[in-house]
């Protein structure tokens, strides 16, 4: 089995529960080690499994510095110290620098990159859309081009889903980089602490209030403004009583982060002012998080354009919560067609049916749970190792 050096950027190590990249690594590490891998994680914070070796990585000062200044001296040093067979980068834009570091360190290691985040999406007509979250003062196009350069530098390109594979292939092709032979689909692992037994699933009692969960980041580029409008309709117009739980994943952010993008705070304030909406936090406690999920009845996906994957959706499905979602991106690939909607009126009707039709509810609760079976960490680890072999 290979020695893997896993280069893991963490933007905010004080809020690991809100960092999907760290969650991914933390869930995958034990399964990789169980299958014989010697794993070295280079990151600002350790993963939980103490069998994983740790190399401390500086915390990047900003989301742009980690893309444009990954630290060549650090990279060369950590490669020389760990002598890996495989290097995994979860920041694709850093791949050319990592390739150069491998060259300088005289390392023959295979370089793989996991596309945790795509800094672009595609409109229905195929038009490329730059991610507004990466477009401060016009940096969106440079970030996109750096991402394409990263794809060109990799020996393996790993993505979450068929939707992500299509988007990454299209973006690479437009930049003159063909990733067809190097592309592998490896889904993210589910959290086994957030998996409920099918025998525990129950439908809401007819006539009783129903509780919906929205556990996604509140950035504007996640389509949160559309969710704010839908939340108002669900809590004021539905023919059943609906309460919505909105997770505050970030808490109090730094003034520097707010100055770059204050949309999470603005969206949180709008939702907090909506009757029937509760803003909640689990304090980073997975047991508290599980309790919030187990006492909810359904969940909602975000309106993020071209979304390639959502760990929060998988969390809900593993707990047997039917997730309703806009008919777009990975949601259209992964979520049952009967739970997809194109308009807020359709979303309203879906929630009402889930609340009043026990047979429909239980069928989709069981389908939701079953849809996560292939995301068991052991299965994902096996696919991961096959992808980087």
């Amino acid at each position: 089995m290979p020695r893997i050096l896993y280069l893991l950027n963490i933007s905010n190590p004080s809020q690991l529960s809100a960092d999907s990249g760290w969650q991914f690594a933390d869930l995958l590490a034990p399964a990789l080690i169980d299958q014989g891998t010697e794993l070295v994680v280079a990151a600002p914070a350790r993963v939980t499994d103490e069998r994983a070796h740790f190399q401390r990585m500086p915390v990047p000062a900003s989301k742009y510095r980690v893309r444009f200044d990954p630290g060549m001296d650090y990279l060369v040093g950590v490669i020389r110290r760990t002598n890996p067979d495989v290097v995994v980068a979860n920041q694709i834009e850093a791949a050319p620098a990592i390739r150069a570091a491998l060259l300088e360190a005289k390392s023959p290691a295979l370089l793989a990159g996991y596309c945790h985040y795509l800094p672009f999406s595609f409109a229905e007509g195929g038009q490329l859309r730059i991610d507004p979250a990466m477009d401060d003062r016009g940096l969106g196009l440079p970030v996109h081009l750096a991402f394409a350069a990263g794809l060109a530098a990799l020996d393996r390109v790993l993505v979450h889903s068929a939707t992500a594979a299509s988007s990454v292939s299209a973006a690479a092709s437009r930049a003159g980089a063909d990733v067809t032979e190097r592309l592998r689909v490896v889904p993210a692992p589910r959290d086994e602490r957030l998996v409920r037994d099918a025998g525990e699933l129950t439908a809401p009692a007819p006539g009783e209030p129903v509780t919906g969960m929205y556990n996604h980041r509140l950035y504007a580029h996640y389509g949160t403004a559309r969710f704010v409008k839908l939340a108002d309709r669900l809590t004021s117009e539905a023919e059943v009583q609906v309460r919505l739980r909105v997770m505050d994943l970030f808490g109090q952010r730094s003034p520097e982060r707010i100055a770059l993008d204050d949309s999470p705070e603005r969206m949180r304030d709008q939702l907090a002012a909506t009757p029937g909406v509760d803003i909640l936090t689990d304090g980073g406690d997975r047991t508290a998080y599980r309790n919030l999920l187990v006492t909810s009845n359904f969940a909602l996906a975000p309106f993020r354009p071209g979304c390639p994957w959502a760990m929060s959706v998988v969390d809900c499905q593993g707990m047997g919560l039917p997730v309703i979602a806009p008919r777009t991106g990975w949601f259209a690939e992964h979520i049952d067609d009967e739970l997809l909607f194109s308009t807020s009126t359709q979303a309203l009707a879906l929630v009402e049916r889930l609340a009043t039709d026990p047979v429909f509810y239980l069928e989709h609760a069981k389908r939701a749970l079953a849809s996560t079976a292939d995301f068991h960490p052991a299965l994902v680890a096996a696919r991961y190792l096959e992808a980087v072999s």
Side-chain angles (χ1 to χ4, degrees), residues 150-174:
L151 295 176
L154 294 169
D155 297 308
R156 298 286 189 278
V157 179
L158 278 58
V159 295
H160 295 98
S161 63
T163 297
S166 177
S167 294
V168 167
S169 294
S173 178
R174 293 185 182 202

Side-chain angles (χ1 to χ4, degrees), residues 15-305:
Q15 294 177 322
L16 293 176
S17 63
D19 192 299
S20 60
W22 183 86
Q23 289 284 355
F24 181 113
D26 194 54
L27 295 171
L28 185 63
L32 287 175
I33 295 169
D34 286 346
Q35 295 185 31
T37 301
E38 183 179 350
L39 183 66
V40 181
V41 178
R46 294 176 178 270
V47 294
T48 304
D49 195 319
E50 295 182 355
R51 296 175 298 169
H53 304 291
F54 179 61
Q55 293 282 317
R56 186 169 297 281
M57 178 188 292
V59 179
S62 76
K63 60 187 176 184
Y64 295 113
R65 185 178 286 265
V66 74
R67 288 169 165 82
F68 298 124
D69 183 20
M72 282 288 291
D73 289 340
Y74 174 84
L75 291 171
V76 172
V78 76
I79 290 167
R80 285 175 173 164
R81 288 193 300 274
T82 58
N83 190 28
D85 301 304
V86 177
V87 176
V88 176
N90 85 321
Q91 197 70 57
I92 301 300
E93 296 90 335
I98 299 169
R99 172 66 75 195
L102 287 168
L103 185 65
E104 186 173 327
K106 297 181 173 58
S107 170
L110 180 144
L111 178 56
Y114 204 104
C115 301
H116 283 276
Y117 187 88
L118 305 185
F120 58 86
S121 61
F122 289 97
E124 289 187 6
Q127 180 182 4
L128 180 73
R129 296 182 294 199
I130 296 299
D131 184 354
M134 293 292 149
D135 198 25
D136 299 287
R137 301 191 69 176
L139 279 168
L141 181 58
V143 168
H144 170 66
L145 294 175
F147 188 92
L151 295 176
L154 294 169
D155 297 308
R156 298 286 189 278
V157 179
L158 278 58
V159 295
H160 295 98
S161 63
T163 297
S166 177
S167 294
V168 167
S169 294
S173 178
R174 293 185 182 202
D178 185 358
V179 298
T180 305
E181 298 300 320
R182 296 177 283 135
L183 191 64
R184 306 288 188 275
V185 175
V186 181
R190 71 182 184 183
D191 188 339
E192 292 302 298
R193 295 167 295 183
L194 302 177
V195 178
R196 192 154 43 157
D197 187 274
E200 300 175 10
L201 303 177
T202 58
E208 292 295 316
V210 291
T211 300
M213 169 63 74
Y214 188 85
N215 52 342
H216 311 283
R217 300 182 181 199
L218 299 179
Y219 289 120
H221 66 278
Y222 273 57
T224 312
R226 294 181 64 185
F227 170 69
V228 171
K229 293 179 180 178
L230 176 59
D232 182 62
R233 290 199 63 184
L234 287 174
T235 55
S236 65
E237 298 180 23
E239 294 184 3
V240 294
Q241 185 179 349
V242 178
R243 292 204 66 87
L244 295 178
R245 291 171 167 171
V246 175
M247 296 293 294
D248 179 7
L249 299 176
F250 292 137
Q252 183 59 48
R253 297 192 303 151
S254 69
E256 292 78 14
R257 290 181 180 274
I258 294 175
L260 274 177
D261 183 357
D262 68 349
S263 61
E265 285 72 24
R266 289 189 288 105
M267 299 297 175
R268 183 180 60 195
D269 290 346
Q270 290 180 43
L271 287 162
T274 303
V277 175
D278 299 312
I279 308 297
L280 302 173
T281 180
D282 58 15
D285 185 326
R286 298 304 269 185
T287 300
Y289 181 40
R290 178 188 171 91
N291 288 338
L292 288 173
L293 294 178
V294 80
T295 54
S296 299
N297 303 113
F298 70 96
L300 302 100
F303 287 89
R304 182 181 170 191

